Amino acid sequence: MWQTNWREQACAALDACKWDIVIIGGGITGAGILLEAARNGLRALLVEQRDFAWGTSSRSSKLVHGGLRYLKEGKLLLTRDSVRERQKLLQEAAGLVEPQSFAFADYRGRKPGRRMFELGLALYDLMAGQRMRHYFAPDEFAMLAPHIATEGLDGGMCYLDAKTDDARLVLRVLQEALACGGSAINYMAARQLIRRNGQVCGVELQDAASGEMHAVQAKVVISATGAWADAMRGAVHKGHKLRPLRGSHLVLPAWRLPVAQAVSLMHPQDGRPVFAFPWEGVTLVGTTDVDHRADLRCEAAITPGEVSYLLAALDFQFPQLGITREDIIATYAGVRPVIDSGKADPSKEGRDHAVWLEDGLLTVTGGKLTTFRLIAQDALKHAEPMLRGWQLDRRPRPIFRPAPALAWRPQLNTFQRRRLAGRYGCYAGMLVADAREGELEAIAGTDTLYAELRWAARMEAVQHLEDLLLRRTRLGLQLRHGGAELLPKIRAICQPALKWDDARWNAELAAYLALWQKHYSVPEEGAPASQQAA
């Protein structure tokens, strides 16, 4: 991982090293490309202008799914690839990528209807090499999905997908890439592309911490900047190709919306899929799908209209629970990089990835969290002609090195040991050994251990308090007011490890709380109960 003086060492190597590939963008796509490049013997560098997973890769729906709805659109290959990658991640990253059962109620007269749904599920099972019982009678289904509306209920269907902590998945991929010889630096912005004979051959970087500039040469420069790709492409090519779409979510206490399975439904207003599922000790509700017209340089945030839209879905599916705005712990919104085809309905746009080579700049964008490995391999396949004498090794291999089993400790149960191994891989044992007395306890209302805070502060390139609470851990989403009540204890654990003086801590604290209030709290009412583009 990133050692104490990692930034100084990494910056010193920037100018000296002759890089094969420089990857701009520290989300799941960039991390996947770095891993595939490094394990194939390339000298590869990843830079991110903010924090790793700052953008869409920490604000997704947290699902590693095969894309059941893509079957309806005829995207059989995309669904097949997604299902296979999901199965691979479930096997190799157990504890980080976990099975999640979904329940879908079949109401009389409402789409998609039992026959159509079961046909899709049969294909889904075939692609995954499994066979499950899917349909349940009304009384059975009501036990599987309690608190749902029962009027007009003919039964229900259940199927299996998967979920993850998206930001931790990015960190786990980066961990593997570093172990293979790759380099990754956060808060290192790409300011300008370097050209030779009209072709991109490097990038000028600026360190946000020191302000220093670095001119880095590379055989290939890859932009993996997601929804921000058009801004980078603007330096070599005019015209946009992306349609930024915002997906917003609510976070509720698990006791207020108790769901053992994910409950999926079609929104009564527009027929879009909405879900609620258990995640990291809370319940997630999402998602919207609207054009995002706000400045992409600013963090996305949910709108009042989107809050009302999601609450309307909950009121329709769980009328007896009476969930209101006051029940919401936190909100978050991410911007999806979707290829613009001009469709009137944002939800009808495809979710395939795209690769463009323009004046030597290779842009990779779009796609799904689940298929990051395949996207990375496709990007490197396009880069092969610029890397003379190098070929991508296409032989099947694991994404992650096997993590050694954690030794038994009375403070950790089986679930916690599995969870730590999935998130931290070969470093899980070191994390546990580094814990002080009482730090192997879970933080109330979450699955996070106090020891994870200490480890992140010491070893995971934390530059700001928001990195620690919104991405290394997810306490800013899981606890009310962003975990404000817990901050004194977090300070006692993390401030010494971060080597921040009191002035720095207080400045970081004020900045984090202001950020949380603006982008992760519940916005004031006032908008109509529909999806609101902004």
Side-chain angles (χ1 to χ4, degrees):
M1 297 302 288
W2 295 271
Q3 303 299 325
T4 305
N5 60 341
W6 69 273
R7 177 171 281 276
E8 292 82 358
Q9 294 175 356
C11 290
L14 278 178
D15 304 312
C17 186
K18 295 182 179 179
W19 301 101
D20 293 314
I21 288 183
V22 172
I23 303 151
I24 304 169
I28 190 62
T29 299
I33 295 170
L34 181 67
L35 174 57
E36 291 298 320
R39 68 172 19 156
N40 277 277
L42 294 174
R43 290 162 297 189
L45 166 69
L46 179 147
V47 294
E48 163 58 48
Q49 67 173 341
R50 303 217 190 183
D51 188 28
F52 302 125
W54 178 87
T56 313
S57 295
S58 62
R59 308 159 198 257
S60 75
S61 295
K62 323 300 184 198
L63 296 175
V64 177
H65 61 92
L68 183 60
R69 75 182 182 92
Y70 304 135
L71 285 176
K72 188 177 75 170
E73 300 168 8
K75 301 287 183 67
L76 296 179
L77 292 179
L78 176 61
T79 306
R80 183 203 64 185
D81 289 344
S82 299
V83 168
R84 290 178 178 177
E85 291 300 294
R86 179 197 69 190
Q87 295 304 106
K88 192 175 182 69
L89 287 165
L90 281 167
Q91 181 179 356
E92 295 181 19
L96 174 58
V97 180
E98 291 283 81
Q100 177 61 61
S101 56
F102 277 72
F104 188 94
D106 178 22
Y107 290 104
R108 199 168 305 122
R110 289 189 64 86
K111 294 181 179 180
R114 176 179 177 177
R115 289 187 179 179
M116 182 65 68
F117 210 102
E118 286 192 308
L119 176 60
L121 291 176
L123 285 171
Y124 216 45
D125 283 354
L126 182 65
M127 291 174 178
Q130 61 187 19
R131 187 175 182 181
M132 298 175 56
R133 177 191 176 192
H134 292 298
Y135 199 83
F136 296 85
D139 54 342
E140 293 179 295
F141 189 77
M143 294 178 66
L144 292 169
H147 309 297
I148 66 167
T150 55
E151 184 177 351
L153 182 68
D154 282 342
M157 290 150 282
C158 293
Y159 63 96
L160 200 62
D161 251 319
K163 61 184 175 183
T164 190
D165 179 336
D166 49 2
R168 287 304 325 178
L169 179 60
V170 173
L171 266 291
R172 179 76 192 275
V173 174
L174 287 174
Q175 171 187 308
E176 292 292 315
L178 295 183
C180 293
S183 297
I185 309 177
N186 55 353
Y187 294 99
M188 183 67 69
R191 294 300 182 203
Q192 186 172 328
L193 297 174
I194 300 171
R195 294 168 177 264
R196 184 185 302 121
N197 300 324
Q199 296 293 299
V200 173
C201 62
V203 61
E204 290 185 4
L205 306 173
Q206 184 173 27
D207 187 345
S210 67
E212 291 183 12
M213 299 294 296
H214 302 269
V216 174
Q217 304 286 329
K219 297 175 183 176
V220 182
V221 176
I222 298 179
S223 170
T225 50
W228 295 262
D230 274 343
M232 183 65 62
R233 288 182 56 252
V236 297
H237 196 279
K238 294 182 179 179
H240 80 277
K241 291 191 175 185
L242 295 180
R243 182 178 184 176
L245 300 181
R246 186 176 62 250
S248 298
H249 304 75
L250 309 178
V251 184
L252 290 103
W255 65 266
R256 193 65 184 87
L257 182 52
V259 286
Q261 303 191 68
V263 175
S264 186
L265 68 141
M266 310 305 284
H267 199 287
Q269 292 179 11
D270 56 13
R272 278 200 68 258
V274 178
F275 57 79
F277 73 94
W279 179 80
E280 291 290 300
V282 295
T283 300
L284 285 189
V285 179
T287 176
T288 60
D289 201 14
V290 298
D291 286 301
H292 183 73
R293 301 191 178 98
D295 189 342
L296 284 171
R297 292 172 296 181
C298 301
E299 291 208 32
I302 197 170
T303 63
E306 288 174 294
V307 174
S308 299
Y309 175 86
L310 293 174
L311 286 176
L314 292 179
D315 185 59
F316 170 79
Q317 188 68 84
F318 304 98
Q320 59 183 306
L321 292 181
I323 293 169
T324 67
R325 293 166 52 89
E326 286 67 36
D327 295 311
I328 301 169
I329 295 174
T331 67
Y332 70 92
V335 182
R336 305 183 184 101
V338 175
I339 313 304
D340 189 1
S341 67
K343 289 184 169 61
D345 183 354
S347 297
K348 300 297 184 183
E349 296 283 18
R351 295 313 194 252
D352 301 274
H353 77 278
V355 180
W356 304 303
L357 180 60
E358 299 163 313
D359 296 348
L361 176 67
L362 191 69
T363 298
V364 187
T365 192
K368 291 157 47 62
L369 177 75
T370 312
T371 55
F372 73 88
R373 184 181 69 95
L374 300 182
I375 295 171
Q377 291 176 345
D378 190 36
L380 291 176
K381 181 182 70 175
H382 282 78
E384 274 186 354
M386 295 179 281
L387 296 164
R388 294 179 182 175
W390 177 85
Q391 282 190 326
L392 176 67
D393 185 351
R394 292 175 171 81
R395 290 175 296 179
R397 69 170 96 185
I399 302 172
F400 302 111
R401 294 168 295 165
L406 275 177
W408 181 87
R409 284 190 175 228
Q411 303 100 318
L412 296 174
N413 59 36
T414 301
F415 166 78
Q416 289 170 325
R417 292 198 301 273
R418 176 185 173 95
R419 180 181 177 279
L420 289 174
R423 276 164 171 69
Y424 300 96
C426 296
Y427 295 98
M430 295 171 62
L431 182 153
V432 172
D434 194 45
R436 307 286 173 83
E437 184 177 354
E439 289 182 0
L440 293 180
E441 296 176 5
I443 297 168
T446 79
D447 295 331
T448 305
L449 307 183
Y450 285 101
E452 294 180 71
L453 289 163
R454 179 180 299 281
W455 178 262
R458 284 188 60 236
M459 303 295 290
E460 292 191 333
V462 169
Q463 300 296 298
H464 297 288
L465 189 57
E466 64 167 279
D467 305 340
L468 180 70
L469 298 179
L470 292 173
R471 288 172 287 277
R472 304 303 181 276
T473 69
R474 314 315 294 274
L475 297 176
L477 300 179
Q478 297 163 307
L479 302 175
R480 286 197 179 274
H481 310 297
E485 290 185 3
L486 196 65
L487 285 169
K489 186 166 185 176
I490 294 174
R491 178 176 188 172
I493 294 171
C494 297
Q495 186 178 350
L498 291 166
K499 294 181 169 52
W500 291 351
D501 60 21
D502 289 345
R504 172 72 185 275
W505 178 272
N506 291 332
E508 290 288 343
L509 176 62
Y512 166 70
L513 292 176
L515 175 75
W516 190 92
Q517 186 61 38
K518 186 175 182 180
H519 297 284
Y520 295 89
S521 65
V522 183
E524 295 181 6
E525 293 184 81
S530 62
Q531 296 189 66
Q532 175 179 313

